[in-house]
């Protein structure tokens, strides 16, 4: 569906991996690989690596993202980092609502929505993660779950702000498990999310809206997934930690058939 209206975005989610020297070394390996890419390239690194990543990627086509931010501007929230703090550093993207945050850190659709609004107000671009559990897929409620997550997360987000939002459809059963959704399953849900965006905003907004797939995307399966009509790139965990594998995925993103 009008794939030529959208840019492919390939984002690495490093999760809780890499010390600063390790991060620098991986970015140095990534630079020549990423330089060839015509798709957008993002690395979402731990907070402790943001400064290192921003320095190391200066003058390159690699954009830097964080993996979370708090919804309050400042205050007594020990251990948290605000959207303004990230924006002031020069961070461009933030991943919000990742299933690991929902599963291990009590994140809910309502707190994801608050974070989305805070991030957008600070001028950050949001990679909003949605996705169903295995039992929810088996119960036949994937669309209901993903639709609800999308609608709540975007409550109060204006048409203009939507331009700074990407959704990553990440079936929870496929994250870090080696079990990838089939290309058809991935496309079906991404297409459904696009229809939710059309209902909430407009068909024109939906046609331009970037929807990634995430969940065990790797050097072998990326091409097929990214070439699906409603899949506009990927959010990649494990495979983003290996420059060669991430490079193959970037190549798939760059050669994506419109
Ligand atoms: C992720 O962390 O968002 C992810 C998709 O992880 P993996 O690629 O390792 O499944």
């Amino acid at each position: 569906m009008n794939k030529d209206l959208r840019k492919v975005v390939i984002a690495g989610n490093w999760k809780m991996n890499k010390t600063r020297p390790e991060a620098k070394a991986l970015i140095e390996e990534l630079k020549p690989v990423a330089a060839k890419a015509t798709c957008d390239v993002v690395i979402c690194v731990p907070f402790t690596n943001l400064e290192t990543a921003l320095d190391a990627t200066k003058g390159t086509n690699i954009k830097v993202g964080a993996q979370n931010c708090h919804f309050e501007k400042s205050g007594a929230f020990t251990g948290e980092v605000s959207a303004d703090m990230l924006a002031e550093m020069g961070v461009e993207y933030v991943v919000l609502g990742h299933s690991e945050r929902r599963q291990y850190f009590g994140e809910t659709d309502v707190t994801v929505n608050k974070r989305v609004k805070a991030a957008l107000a600070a001028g950050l671009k949001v990679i909003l993660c949605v996705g169903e559990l295995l039992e929810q897929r088996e119960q036949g409620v994937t669309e209901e779950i993903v639709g609800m997550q999308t609608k709540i997360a975007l409550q109060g987000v204006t048409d203009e702000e939507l331009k700074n939002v990407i959704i990553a459809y990440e079936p929870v059963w496929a994250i870090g498990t080696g079990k990838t959704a089939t290309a058809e399953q991935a496309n079906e849900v991404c297409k459904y999310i696009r229809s939710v965006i059309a209902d909430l905003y407009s068909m024109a907004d939906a046609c331009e809206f970037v929807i990634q797939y995430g969940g065990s995307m790797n050097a072998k399966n990326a091409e097929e997934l990214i070439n699906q009509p409603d899949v506009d790139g990927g959010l990649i965990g494990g495979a983003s930690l290996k420059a060669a594998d991430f490079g193959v995925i970037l190549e798939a993103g760059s050669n994506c058939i419109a």
Side-chain angles (χ1 to χ4, degrees):
M1 182 192 168
N2 299 312
K3 207 161 170 162
D4 50 335
L5 295 176
R6 304 185 290 272
K7 189 136 201 210
V8 170
V9 181
I10 303 292
N13 174 18
W14 287 13
K15 311 196 192 206
M16 194 176 71
N17 290 295
K18 305 291 176 191
T19 61
R20 287 181 302 166
E22 288 167 352
K24 172 109 177 75
L26 177 53
I27 292 167
E28 290 309 321
E29 266 192 274
L30 278 176
K31 277 191 208 174
V33 174
K36 294 183 230 144
T38 53
C39 58
D40 280 3
V41 186
V42 186
I43 53 170
C44 299
V45 305
F47 290 131
T48 49
N49 289 341
L50 285 171
E51 192 129 41
T52 303
L54 287 165
D55 279 349
T57 56
K58 245 179 222 144
T60 75
N61 60 333
I62 305 174
K63 294 161 185 181
V64 175
Q67 299 171 13
N68 193 21
C69 70
H70 197 259
F71 43 82
E72 294 293 348
K73 280 183 116 35
S74 62
F77 301 99
T78 303
E80 293 293 319
V81 170
S82 77
D84 286 344
M85 289 170 179
L86 297 176
E88 185 279 329
M89 291 181 79
V91 170
E92 198 171 330
Y93 283 84
V94 64
V95 175
L96 292 173
H98 192 280
S99 66
E100 288 153 14
R101 302 285 328 163
R102 295 177 192 258
Q103 190 178 351
Y104 305 128
F105 302 102
E107 199 77 65
T108 66
D109 291 328
V110 171
T111 58
V112 172
N113 172 244
K114 288 182 176 188
R115 288 174 207 262
V116 167
K117 286 191 287 192
L120 292 171
L124 297 171
K125 294 186 178 128
V126 170
I127 300 177
L128 165 66
C129 302
V130 299
E132 81 288 1
L133 303 171
L134 181 58
E135 71 214 62
Q136 293 166 332
R137 174 162 282 269
E138 287 168 353
Q139 287 158 349
V141 294
T142 297
E143 290 190 352
E144 284 84 346
I145 295 295
V146 165
M148 179 182 69
Q149 291 172 337
T150 302
K151 285 179 192 166
I152 298 176
L154 294 179
Q155 260 168 25
V157 172
T158 64
D159 236 81
E160 202 43 42
E161 287 175 324
L162 187 74
K163 295 185 182 9
N164 285 327
V165 180
I166 287 173
I167 287 185
Y169 165 56
E170 299 208 304
V172 180
W173 48 271
I175 299 177
T177 58
K179 276 187 215 155
T180 321
T182 64
E184 291 71 29
Q185 285 172 326
N187 191 63
E188 190 177 34
V189 184
C190 290
K191 186 174 174 188
Y192 174 71
I193 294 170
R194 201 174 301 290
S195 75
V196 173
I197 297 296
D199 286 348
L200 291 176
Y201 295 90
S202 69
M203 187 54 87
D205 287 329
C207 288
E208 289 176 6
F209 191 77
V210 172
I211 305 176
Q212 300 171 313
Y213 167 79
S216 299
M217 188 184 275
N218 59 39
K220 290 207 178 90
N221 59 27
E223 188 180 350
E224 193 190 1
L225 287 160
I226 295 170
N227 277 309
Q228 295 302 305
D230 279 285
V231 178
D232 309 314
L235 180 58
I236 297 108
S240 71
L241 296 169
K242 293 180 205 122
D245 288 9
F246 198 56
V248 174
I249 300 172
L250 291 178
E251 212 178 307
S254 301
N255 297 333
C256 170
I257 305 155

